[in-house]
Structures are given as C-alpha cells and as structure tokens.
Amino acid sequence: MRVIILDTANQVAQYAADLLLETVRKKSRPVLGLATGSTPISTYQQVINAVQAGQASFKNTTTFNLDEYIGIDDTHPQSYRHFMKHYLFNHIDIDLANTHLPMAASLDETRLVENAQDYENAIQEAGGIDLQLLGIGENGHIGFNEPTSSLRSRTRIKSLSESTIEANKRFFADGEYQPHLALTMGIETILESKHVLLLATGHKKAAAVKAMVEGPLTAMCPASALQQHAKACLVLDQDAAAQLSLKDYYVWCEKQRQELT
Ligand code: GLP
C-alpha cells in the first residue's frame, strides 16, 4: 500500500482531484469508480473548478458509484444519485447516461439481486474501473461492506451496521426515514479496479486507518482487503494518520520516490 500523508484535508482533496483529472485526460474512454460521504465533497469541488476552467472534460467518462440506499427512489434527496448530481454531475460536462449507481429503489429481493448482477455486468462491459475512489467508515467499511463482509463479495444487498446508521444520521433530518439496507459493490468488485485511491481525513478515521494499513487482513476491517491490491494508494491528512506506528517510514518512502525521475 502506498501511504501519502499530507498536512491538511484540503491538500488531500487536491491530490485526489489531480489524480482523477489525470485519469480522465490520459484515457480515451475513462471509467471512474466514485464514492459518496462527506470526505470526497471537496475533491469533487476541485474537479468542478478544473472542468469549468476548461482544464478537463468528462464527455467520454463513464462512472460507477460504490453503493446506493435500498428502498428510496433515485430522485429522493437522500439517494446517492441525488448526492452525486448535487456535488458533481450537474456541474461538469458528463453525459448522465454514462453515470451509474446500483438500481436500488425496489424492495423486491429478486429484483435487487438481478440489479446487482446487472451492475457487475455493466462494469465488465465498460472494461472495468480505471480508478476507484474510496472513503472509509469509522468501523473500517468501504462502500457499504460492513465488518464481517466476505473479502470475496460482489455487488449485493447489505444491512448497515448500527454504527454506520448512527454515523450517517447527520445527513437526515429529525424523524426522516433513514434506510438500513444498501446495494453495494462487493470487496472483490472493488479489488478488481485497476487503481484504488482511498481518502481519509480527520481524527475519527485514525483507528480505522491504523487497522487498514497495519492490522491483519481481516473481514472485521473490510478496508484491510486493500492490502491485497497491487495499486492501492491511501491519501491521509495528519489527523487520520495519527495512530500509524510506521508514519515516519511512509513519509520517508514518499521522499525517496521524489528522487526518482
Ligand atoms: C458511507 C459510505 C462510504 C463512505 C463512508 C465514510 O456510509 N457508504 O462510501 O466512505 O461512509 O463517509 P464519510 O466520508 O462521510 O466519513
């Protein structure tokens, strides 16, 4: 795992935006995996700024989001489709037909299982994901792969854990319905992405980051599965990196890399 520690959350966002933009510029038909949550919002803002300044175009880009809540329509203000339109898609030149999230509005299990398979097929048909952006839950989840998720899992129905429901409560108004189920890419789906870029900022993520990087490979910390990915890059601010035992080593490694041409 490549661990990059930057001073501020803003620098993390800039780093991530630059990598997303580089992928979009380099590839003729880029395929990005995108994430929701509060962490990537400032990354998306930096991407919007670059696109609006004419520095990049998303016309040929296809996107696949990690997950979607089950049982709410994708026009619902709490849906991740709505989140993505609000924070990114509506402000860049992407064709909405090329933006994908798991179809999760139905409560019919058979339908959801079919939609999950369709999602896997669509990723394959697009040629796989070039760069998957990830956040991390305080309990170590990626997407909505909660602790004890199979490390070989694929897109499927997941029940959210109590701690995730609690952590995400802040997005919902008092008394507003908060879904407890989601359709999420699986851990193996995520591991098949050519590159993975995980962002973590703030002290609340420090324990999960420590478990992901320096803990055992275990379903109890789904993000630890990234130890198995050949091109996983973690970009952290100082707060999120605070519990890492080998912090100085990671900083040293990055300095050494800069000496290479
Ligand atoms: C959410 C999402 C994840 C996200 C994580 C952290 O529940 N399903 O994809 O990475 O929790 O969110 P945040 O960035 O708001 O801390």
Side-chain angles (χ1 to χ4, degrees):
M1 289 168 132
R2 183 174 175 194
V3 181
I4 299 175
I5 303 169
L6 301 174
D7 282 336
T8 65
N10 198 45
Q11 288 172 339
V12 171
Q14 191 62 60
Y15 189 99
D18 287 348
L19 207 59
L20 288 168
L21 291 163
E22 191 188 304
T23 307
V24 164
R25 287 190 195 106
K26 265 195 192 157
K27 300 254 164 187
S28 53
R29 306 211 72 80
V31 182
L32 299 179
L34 298 177
T36 52
S38 40
T39 309
I41 292 176
S42 36
T43 298
Y44 294 149
Q45 188 54 54
Q46 309 269 14
V47 168
I48 292 167
N49 295 346
V51 173
Q52 292 188 350
Q55 293 160 5
S57 168
F58 277 63
K59 278 202 175 103
N60 297 321
T61 299
T62 297
T63 64
F64 289 92
N65 262 77
L66 285 164
D67 43 20
E68 179 60 282
Y69 284 124
I70 287 178
I72 55 176
D73 196 78
D74 65 6
T75 58
H76 192 287
Q78 291 293 358
S79 71
Y80 281 167
R81 162 67 73 185
H82 184 271
F83 175 104
M84 290 308 299
K85 282 168 116 173
H86 181 78
Y87 287 109
L88 184 64
F89 299 155
N90 285 351
H91 313 287
I92 58 174
D93 60 348
I94 198 162
D95 180 350
L96 282 181
N98 295 334
T99 64
H100 306 272
L101 286 92
M103 302 277 278
S106 170
L107 284 171
D108 180 297
E109 189 177 354
T110 311
R111 170 81 73 85
L112 289 165
V113 170
E114 279 168 14
N115 291 353
Q117 187 56 53
D118 290 347
Y119 204 61
E120 289 281 336
N121 296 343
I123 294 171
Q124 294 300 322
E125 277 157 29
I129 292 171
D130 293 312
L131 175 65
Q132 175 67 57
L133 184 65
L134 291 173
I136 183 169
E138 287 169 40
N139 63 2
H141 74 220
I142 46 176
F144 270 132
N145 294 286
E146 299 285 25
T148 72
S149 286
S150 162
L151 301 182
R152 301 295 304 271
S153 51
R154 308 207 65 94
T155 304
R156 69 206 185 294
I157 300 168
K158 274 303 287 182
S159 299
L160 308 191
S161 71
E162 235 178 293
S163 68
T164 296
I165 293 167
E166 196 51 44
N168 285 353
K169 236 183 201 142
R170 67 190 193 280
F171 296 114
F172 294 81
D174 267 355
E176 188 179 8
Y177 171 68
Q178 184 181 354
H180 292 178
L181 291 168
L183 211 55
T184 181
M185 274 188 205
I187 295 177
E188 190 160 66
T189 320
I190 293 169
L191 290 178
E192 282 173 4
S193 307
K194 290 159 204 155
H195 288 85
V196 172
L197 174 66
L198 184 143
L199 313 180
T201 56
H203 67 275
K204 284 188 177 172
K205 302 295 171 67
V209 165
K210 162 87 178 156
M212 160 176 65
V213 182
E214 297 176 346
L217 173 64
T218 169
M220 285 305 285
C221 176
S224 69
L226 300 182
Q227 294 173 15
Q228 297 267 60
H229 196 289
K231 286 190 174 168
C233 179
L234 318 180
V235 189
L236 316 172
D237 70 358
Q238 292 290 347
D239 288 341
Q243 291 186 25
L244 292 171
S245 308
L246 300 181
K247 197 173 151 188
D248 292 345
Y249 172 68
Y250 309 132
V251 173
W252 164 254
C253 289
E254 285 309 304
K255 271 209 187 109
Q256 300 304 304
R257 281 178 88 113
Q258 279 163 19
E259 286 179 13
L260 300 173
T261 51

